[in-house]
């Protein structure tokens, strides 16, 4: 008789849709979590859309996707860290800032990542196959700590980006204290649009990034950013030569 082999693999999925699917059953209602520093707590709703119970583990990390919950020490507490979600039922994750969160940089946003791991039940009984692959799927979404001292309008931050053309490159400068996610940046040549950032990019506060642009004739860029609610906003800006 062959011995059953169960392989557990962790996959993480980052998506730009408002709803994130986990194992096609667990659903996160959001693509990012914003924590204003003057809030007592923030929450994220998740729902089990499947027909079986789900065991879910949730934790925050500081950017290392390979870190485990026991290896990360952050000034936030998440409850519940592990939960069982019944079919067609929901669960609310609550994140509370600890007193030492006041030691975080108050002049700019801080970025972390929220992980949700869906652990499928072990196959058992007479219907269990002799050899099967079992996947535990992890989703990581942005968790942004936003100091209340930042009085600028986050919705106007993309308009403050500076786009400078330097030869065959474009330098994008972010002079704001906010993280800005760009999903696309189009240049147009003879009515043909080319996306210069097909994989997207994220600009840290007070940072700059360079992208390639071999077209020497362009003078404007159309770009799309993601807002706090996961929605897409279109912009047009002039290039500074």
């Amino acid at each position: 008789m062959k011995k059953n082999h169960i392989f557990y693999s962790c996959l993480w999925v980052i998506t730009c849709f408002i709803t994130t699917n986990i194992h096609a059953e667990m659903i996160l209602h959001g693509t990012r979590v914003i924590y204003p520093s003057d809030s007592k707590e923030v929450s994220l709703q998740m729902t089990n859309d499947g027909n079986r119970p789900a065991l879910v583990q949730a934790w925050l990390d500081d950017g290392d996707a390979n870190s485990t919950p026991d290896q990360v020490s952050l000034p936030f507490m998440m409850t519940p860290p592990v939960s069982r979600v019944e079919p067609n039922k929901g669960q609310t994750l609550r994140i509370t800032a600890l007193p030492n969160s006041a030691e975080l940089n108050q002049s700019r946003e801080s970025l972390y990542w929220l992980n949700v791991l869906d652990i499928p039940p072990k196959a058992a009984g007479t219907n269990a196959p002799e050899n099967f692959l079992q996947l535990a799927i992890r989703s990581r979404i942005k968790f942004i700590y936003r100091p209340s001292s930042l009085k600028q309008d986050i919705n106007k931050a993309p308009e403050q980006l500076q786009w400078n053309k330097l030869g065959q490159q474009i330098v994008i400068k972010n002079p704001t204290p906010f993280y800005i996610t760009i999903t696309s940046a189009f240049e147009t040549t003879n009515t043909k649009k080319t996306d210069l950032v097909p994989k997207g990019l994220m600009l840290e506060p007070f940072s700059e990034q360079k992208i390639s642009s071999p077209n020497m004739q362009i003078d404007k860029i159309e770009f799309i950013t993601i807002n706090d609610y996961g929605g897409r906003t279109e912009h047009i800006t002039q290039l500074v030569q």
Side-chain angles (χ1 to χ4, degrees):
M1 179 177 179
K2 294 182 179 179
K3 182 179 179 181
N4 288 350
H5 295 281
I6 303 175
F7 300 91
Y8 291 95
S9 302
C10 291
L11 306 177
W12 46 94
V13 180
I14 300 175
T15 176
C16 293
F17 297 105
I18 291 179
T19 300
T20 302
N21 291 317
I22 304 176
H23 200 56
E25 295 177 353
M26 286 304 303
I27 297 175
L28 295 184
H29 297 279
T31 63
R32 65 205 59 228
V33 175
I34 309 297
Y35 196 118
S37 64
D38 54 359
S39 297
K40 291 183 178 180
E41 69 174 24
V42 295
S43 61
L44 176 67
Q45 185 69 26
M46 58 184 181
T47 305
N48 183 358
D49 200 35
N51 56 10
R52 61 180 182 176
L55 181 63
V56 177
Q57 183 179 22
W59 73 96
L60 293 170
D61 72 64
D62 57 4
D64 182 0
N66 297 316
S67 62
T68 58
D70 60 305
Q71 296 174 328
V72 181
S73 178
L74 298 177
F76 302 97
M77 179 178 65
M78 181 180 297
T79 56
V82 178
S83 59
R84 175 188 168 101
V85 186
E86 298 299 327
N88 300 309
K89 299 293 183 180
Q91 175 67 56
T92 300
L93 295 176
R94 302 186 185 280
I95 304 101
T96 305
L98 300 176
N100 60 337
S101 64
E103 300 175 5
L104 296 175
N105 193 329
Q106 299 300 307
S107 64
R108 51 172 285 169
E109 289 182 333
S110 297
L111 175 67
Y112 303 98
W113 294 86
L114 190 155
N115 302 266
V116 176
L117 180 67
D118 177 22
I119 306 171
K122 180 180 178 181
T126 58
N127 294 327
E130 288 191 358
N131 296 286
F132 62 97
L133 177 66
Q134 190 163 4
L135 298 177
I137 298 183
R138 178 173 64 164
S139 179
R140 295 177 82 227
I141 63 175
K142 294 182 178 73
F143 177 87
I144 297 176
Y145 175 83
R146 181 174 296 162
S148 58
S149 58
L150 305 181
K151 303 302 182 182
Q152 301 96 319
D153 185 351
I154 177 61
N155 295 313
K156 295 182 179 180
E159 301 172 7
Q160 299 180 45
L161 293 178
Q162 301 166 6
W163 300 71
N164 300 297
K165 182 74 164 139
L166 295 175
Q168 294 188 341
Q169 289 188 324
I170 295 176
V171 180
I172 313 171
K173 295 183 179 181
N174 178 13
T176 78
F178 304 106
Y179 280 87
I180 300 177
T181 298
I182 300 174
T183 61
S184 300
F186 298 102
E187 65 175 16
T188 303
T189 306
N190 298 325
T191 70
K192 179 183 178 181
K193 285 187 176 182
T194 302
D195 191 353
L196 302 178
V197 289
K199 296 183 179 180
L201 63 84
M202 181 175 62
L203 288 161
E204 297 182 4
F206 310 115
S207 71
E208 66 178 48
Q209 289 194 39
K210 295 179 180 179
I211 59 176
S212 297
S213 173
N215 186 347
M216 304 296 291
Q217 305 302 320
I218 61 170
D219 58 2
K220 68 177 181 180
I221 290 288
E222 300 176 46
F223 65 101
I224 300 174
T225 58
I226 301 295
N227 62 28
D228 282 353
Y229 306 99
R232 296 168 179 259
T233 305
E234 297 182 0
H235 313 266
I236 299 178
T237 188
Q238 293 294 125
L239 282 173
V240 177
Q241 299 292 339

